[in-house]
Amino acid sequence: YPFLVGIIAGLTVAISAAGVGLASLFSNFDELRMAAQFAGAFYIVYLALKIASSPVAADRSDSIKNDPKFRDGFVLNILNVKAYAVFLAVYSVFLGYVVTGMVCIVVATFVDTAWLWFGGAIRHLFAEPRSARLLRVFFAALMVVSVGMVLIR
């Protein structure tokens, strides 16, 4: 589960950074927010291309080397401007940054674990190489469309 650990580590950094004011910088300096948003968008497009173009493994031992790594989950959340905005909003409503941050990390851990479990549950859909390729391209296209929709707004 290195990807899950990377996601949680990245969220922990985002929560901590929001707690010390990085989210305030994003809300007060539009150029900084836009730069971080574009960096995040480019990284998500990079991940989408990686997903769409990764080889379809004949067996599980071949696919392990293509699984998302700690770095992928970590960078994904470090560059997630929406996470900083959400945590700034959460911190502005609730008192106690440390407790609020810890609650957010616990909730994120449960939600992300369930999401990865669901991915494991549908893994059989990726067993057939042709369907695996179609699903990967479909999910990658959804990622790119999602990024495009956010950037258009």
Side-chain angles (χ1 to χ4, degrees), residues 14 25 32-33 60 71 79 85 90 95 112 129:
L25 287 174
L32 181 61
R33 181 188 57 78
R60 179 70 185 135
R71 179 197 69 222
L79 297 177
V90 168
L95 298 175
D112 291 337

Side-chain angles (χ1 to χ4, degrees), residues 8 29 37 41 43 56 66 73 85 88 95 127 130:
I8 302 306
F29 297 99
Q37 192 170 8
Y43 187 71
V56 177
N66 294 320
L88 177 64
L95 298 175
R130 186 174 187 282

Side-chain angles (χ1 to χ4, degrees), residues 75-95:
V75 172
L76 184 64
N77 279 303
I78 291 294
L79 297 177
N80 185 353
V81 176
K82 293 184 308 285
Y84 294 98
V86 166
F87 295 125
L88 177 64
V90 168
Y91 286 144
S92 69
V93 173
F94 298 102
L95 298 175

Side-chain angles (χ1 to χ4, degrees), residues 124-146:
H124 68 279
L125 297 174
F126 292 86
E128 164 68 33
R130 186 174 187 282
S131 62
R133 172 66 56 216
L134 290 172
L135 285 168
R136 286 181 182 188
V137 170
F138 174 73
F139 288 133
L142 285 177
M143 290 171 70
V144 171
V145 167
S146 298

Side-chain angles (χ1 to χ4, degrees), residues 6 12 26 38 50 60 62 64 70 76 83 96 99 112 114 116-117 123 129-130 142:
T12 301
F26 285 157
F38 278 108
K50 189 174 169 183
R60 179 70 185 135
D62 287 344
I64 289 173
F70 172 89
L76 184 64
V99 173
D112 291 337
L116 290 177
W117 175 86
R123 185 175 211 111
R130 186 174 187 282
L142 285 177

